[in-house]
Amino acid sequence: MESNLRDSSVQPKIHRLRVVTARLKALLLDATKKNFWVRAQLVSNKGNRQGGHFYGELVDIDDNGQTLAKMRVVIWRAEYQKIRQKLLDDGQPDALEGNREICAYCAVRFHEVYGLQLQVFDVDPTFGESHIDRNRRQILEKLQREGLLDKNKTTELVAAPLRIGLITSANSAACADFTKTLGASPFSFKTLLVPAAMQGQATANEVVAAIGTLVASRVEVICLVRGGGSPMDLAWFDDEAIGRAIANCPVPVWVGIGHEIDLTVPDFVAHTPHKTPTAVAEALVERIRVLDNDLALFRDRLLEVFSRRMELADRSIVQNRNGLQQGTRKHLEIQNERFLGHVLKLESALDAMVAGRARRLSECVIQLKERVRGEIGSGEQSLGNTTSRFEDGLTRRLQRAHEAGLRGVNGLVEGIRKHLAWNEERFRRRAVTLRGAIDKAFDSRAGLLATMCILLEERSRGGQADGQRELDRRKHELLAAVDRIVDGRQKILDLKTSRFGFAQYQQSLERASRHLDEKGKRLIALSPERHLARGYSITRDGQGRVIRDARETQVGEPIHTQLAEGFLTSTVVHKENEDG
């Protein structure tokens, strides 16, 4: 042919494609006229069912999982309905839906556009597992016996997995969908991609190696993802080495292989299986979103609790401060009341003491007067008896009468002296009155004595001269004795008065009075009424508590102001303190 191409003189024969396909169809004419039974594994293709027809593949696989032959198959609508009804009557409605080995009555068909395929007219299924299902079951049963089927499910997944290990084909749609979904989220995911074959002989070795690489890289979760494909393409993941690698992985493994109906060994041994690669990424994003929402909720609750605690603490501080102020004020009021009570008690005690001593002094003066009167009466009676005896015998008994009169006067004087000594400690303010009473008593006694002397003098004029001289001498002695008694009485009174300490008592009373006057003046100066009279005022809130700080009020709150004369009620429209 090369010589013909180089030789421009020889023109090559060019055929139209339809001529070629027509020639092939003519060559296969004998083969297409024959119907025959074929035993193979049916792989359904739901995505290409159109117009009620059935499309799929018949696959022949050896015991090692190698595909020996594959051919497209079609069941047209009429035959498909008959076959479905037949299977339904036999109790096998899903015989064409899964990977099952069937025996189909078919014929070879060649179409110029769609190519070579088998057309199925009838089905006689030999029900049982396909090679793919049997292989998967055997692997899972072996892992179950060794206790590895749920081992990876027990690994702990961190609360916020952001460091992601990804195993997939580098330029596949699954890789693009996965990374796009993570990149569109508002979270900072870091994806470490380790490429691996997703089908073919190298799939198991590369997936196992990728898992080891990601474990060494300390990722937080490993994602094994692959897009959709035929069951034969996905069957490469039904491998014991892949299952063991996932089961023994110390990091949680999430898988998303194929579509919703596709199941492989990793779906059973992985920590969490998902339907698609996008579903794996969305689950990661949703986990972080839920955690973020929970953290935001906890933050709001914490702020709310903190604000409530701060509000309660502020309220407690204000209450304690108000309580301390009110307690201090009340304590001062109680101390003032106690002080005033002590002052009143002291005044009452002083008044009672002064009144008692004055009363006792008056009683002493009265008793002293009565005793003086008694002594004077006794002296008068004694003098009367002496006079009568003197009258009975002027001459014979004159000397005896004088002596008796002298003894009476001396006894009277001695009695008065003893009485004054006994009452000297009870003598008080009425000494002047007592002194006048004593003077009158002594004057009266002196008059009586003078009268007696005159009588004696008249009666004795007719006696002897010696008797007259003796009588005169006795009279002068008696008068001198009376004068001495009066002078001595005055001196004794003055001495006893100074001894009693009446002057000191009067000075102590004056000092106490001055002290009480000073305390009263200080109390009056500190009284609230005096401050109000100077122009100050007292403001209280609605509960009657005194307001000392603008921060203790609220805008719109009514307040009451006490003045020196009257009260005012107002409303807070603006408040400002020293802090601004």
Side-chain angles (χ1 to χ4, degrees):
M1 179 178 291
E2 292 181 358
S3 61
N4 291 337
L5 289 176
R6 292 173 183 165
D7 188 359
S8 60
S9 62
V10 179
Q11 294 294 330
K13 188 176 179 178
I14 300 174
H15 303 280
R16 300 283 299 186
L17 178 60
R18 58 178 175 268
V19 175
V20 175
T21 57
R23 180 60 178 166
L24 290 175
K25 186 174 183 180
L27 293 174
L28 294 174
L29 183 59
D30 293 337
T32 59
K33 291 180 180 180
K34 298 178 181 180
N35 296 341
F36 50 89
W37 288 92
V38 175
R39 183 176 180 179
Q41 183 173 325
L42 176 65
V43 179
S44 174
N45 190 353
K46 295 181 179 181
N48 292 329
R49 292 183 187 180
Q50 298 177 359
H53 308 299
F54 177 88
Y55 300 94
E57 292 179 339
L58 286 177
V59 182
D60 195 357
I61 304 175
D62 62 9
D63 294 336
N64 295 324
Q66 298 295 322
T67 301
L68 302 179
K70 181 190 295 186
M71 195 170 184
R72 289 187 295 113
V73 66
V74 62
I75 306 176
W76 302 120
R77 179 171 52 193
E79 287 81 6
Y80 181 60
Q81 292 177 354
K82 293 178 182 179
I83 293 172
R84 287 201 61 183
Q85 186 62 43
K86 177 182 178 180
L87 296 174
L88 182 62
D89 294 338
D90 291 340
Q92 300 291 335
D94 299 329
L96 300 178
E97 301 300 328
N99 298 326
R100 291 183 178 272
E101 193 172 12
I102 65 172
C103 186
Y105 184 66
C106 57
V108 176
R109 292 290 183 266
F110 181 80
H111 192 273
E112 292 84 348
V113 176
Y114 300 108
L116 189 66
Q117 60 185 4
L118 291 177
Q119 181 180 351
V120 177
F121 302 103
D122 196 2
V123 173
D124 183 12
T126 57
F127 299 100
E129 290 181 311
S130 66
H131 175 77
I132 296 176
D133 294 336
R134 182 171 59 254
N135 181 54
R136 181 187 308 119
R137 178 178 59 80
Q138 292 174 352
I139 294 173
L140 294 177
E141 289 177 353
K142 187 175 183 180
L143 295 176
Q144 178 69 36
R145 288 192 300 271
E146 296 179 8
L148 299 177
L149 195 61
D150 297 328
K151 185 176 181 181
N152 190 255
K153 293 181 175 61
T154 61
T155 57
E156 184 178 359
L157 180 64
V158 297
L162 296 176
R163 185 175 174 84
I164 312 299
L166 178 60
I167 303 176
T168 188
S169 180
N171 299 320
S172 63
C175 180
D177 294 341
F178 186 89
T179 55
K180 182 179 179 181
T181 302
L182 294 184
S185 69
F187 308 111
S188 301
F189 288 101
K190 183 178 181 180
T191 304
L192 180 60
L193 172 64
V194 178
M198 293 292 102
Q199 67 183 48
Q201 295 290 342
T203 301
N205 293 332
E206 293 186 5
V207 170
V208 172
I211 292 176
T213 301
L214 292 176
V215 170
S217 300
R218 299 182 181 276
V219 295
E220 296 171 338
V221 63
I222 297 175
C223 298
L224 175 60
V225 298
R226 185 198 188 282
S230 67
M232 294 302 302
D233 296 334
L234 301 180
W236 294 103
F237 288 95
D238 293 327
D239 187 88
E240 183 179 348
I242 295 177
R244 288 183 179 277
I246 294 175
N248 293 317
C249 182
V251 179
V253 178
W254 286 14
V255 298
I257 300 174
H259 299 293
E260 297 182 10
I261 62 172
D262 297 320
L263 290 175
T264 60
V265 170
D267 289 309
F268 293 93
V269 298
H271 182 278
T272 305
H274 295 278
K275 299 176 181 179
T276 62
T278 304
V280 177
E282 290 176 347
L284 289 172
V285 174
E286 182 63 22
R287 183 180 181 88
I288 303 301
R289 181 180 290 111
V290 171
L291 179 62
D292 184 64
N293 293 336
D294 292 342
L295 291 176
L297 180 62
F298 293 150
R299 179 195 60 196
D300 295 339
R301 289 181 179 176
L302 182 61
L303 290 175
E304 182 180 356
V305 172
F306 179 75
S307 300
R308 188 181 301 115
R309 293 285 180 87
M310 289 298 297
E311 182 180 355
L312 292 176
D314 293 340
R315 190 179 302 172
S316 177
I317 291 174
V318 172
Q319 291 177 354
N320 293 334
R321 181 182 62 190
N322 294 337
L324 180 61
Q325 293 175 351
Q326 293 178 1
T328 304
R329 184 171 59 256
K330 186 176 293 184
H331 181 72
L332 291 176
E333 292 176 355
I334 292 174
Q335 294 300 323
N336 289 334
E337 292 177 358
R338 289 181 178 178
F339 177 74
L340 293 176
H342 291 321
V343 171
L344 293 176
K345 288 181 180 179
L346 181 60
E347 291 178 349
S348 299
L350 290 175
D351 292 340
M353 182 178 67
V354 172
R357 293 191 177 184
R359 184 172 57 255
R360 287 195 298 271
L361 183 60
S362 300
E363 292 175 357
C364 291
V365 172
I366 292 172
Q367 292 176 1
L368 184 59
K369 284 183 178 181
E370 291 177 354
R371 289 181 179 275
V372 169
R373 289 193 187 99
E375 293 295 335
I376 292 173
S378 178
E380 289 179 350
Q381 184 177 2
S382 178
L383 289 175
N385 293 334
T386 303
T387 304
S388 62
R389 287 193 302 271
F390 181 74
E391 289 177 351
D392 292 339
L394 292 176
T395 305
R396 188 173 51 83
R397 301 176 60 183
L398 179 60
Q399 183 66 32
R400 187 180 297 174
H402 280 286
E403 293 178 354
L406 183 59
R407 285 194 303 270
V409 173
N410 292 332
L412 177 62
V413 172
E414 185 65 22
I416 292 174
R417 181 182 294 110
K418 291 181 179 180
H419 181 72
L420 290 176
W422 182 73
N423 288 287
E424 65 180 353
E425 292 182 359
R426 299 184 180 183
F427 182 79
R428 293 297 179 268
R429 286 194 242 173
R430 301 192 61 182
V432 176
T433 305
L434 178 61
R435 181 179 178 179
I438 293 174
D439 291 336
K440 290 180 180 180
F442 273 97
D443 292 338
S444 176
R445 181 60 178 163
L448 290 176
L449 290 175
T451 304
M452 184 187 69
C453 292
I454 293 172
L455 292 175
L456 291 174
E457 192 174 335
E458 290 177 353
R459 289 179 182 178
S460 60
R461 285 178 180 174
Q464 298 176 355
D466 294 336
Q468 180 64 37
R469 287 192 298 270
E470 184 65 20
L471 183 60
D472 291 337
R473 187 178 62 80
R474 294 288 184 181
K475 181 179 69 174
H476 290 298
E477 288 179 357
L478 180 61
L479 293 177
V482 171
D483 292 334
R484 285 194 302 271
I485 289 172
V486 172
D487 294 338
R489 182 265 310 164
Q490 182 64 40
K491 292 179 180 179
I492 291 172
L493 286 178
D494 294 339
L495 179 62
K496 297 304 180 182
T497 301
S498 62
R499 277 186 180 181
F500 181 72
F502 181 74
Q504 289 81 355
Y505 170 76
Q506 229 174 4
Q507 291 176 359
S508 299
L509 185 60
E510 290 177 357
R511 284 196 299 270
S513 299
R514 287 196 301 271
H515 183 67
L516 290 176
D517 292 338
E518 291 176 359
K519 293 291 184 180
K521 291 178 182 179
R522 294 172 72 179
L523 288 176
I524 293 173
L526 295 175
S527 64
E529 290 79 6
R530 180 64 63 88
H531 289 287
L532 292 176
R534 295 175 182 173
Y536 294 95
S537 62
I538 301 175
T539 303
R540 295 180 172 89
D541 57 11
Q543 287 73 32
R545 296 175 297 191
V546 177
I547 300 174
R548 297 177 174 82
D549 194 336
R551 288 173 290 189
E552 298 177 5
T553 63
Q554 300 292 333
V555 176
E557 178 183 358
I559 57 176
H560 308 282
T561 303
Q562 179 182 354
L563 305 176
E565 298 292 336
F567 293 85
L568 296 177
T569 300
S570 55
T571 302
V572 178
V573 297
H574 174 71
K575 63 178 185 177
E576 180 177 355
N577 52 28
E578 294 182 355
D579 298 336

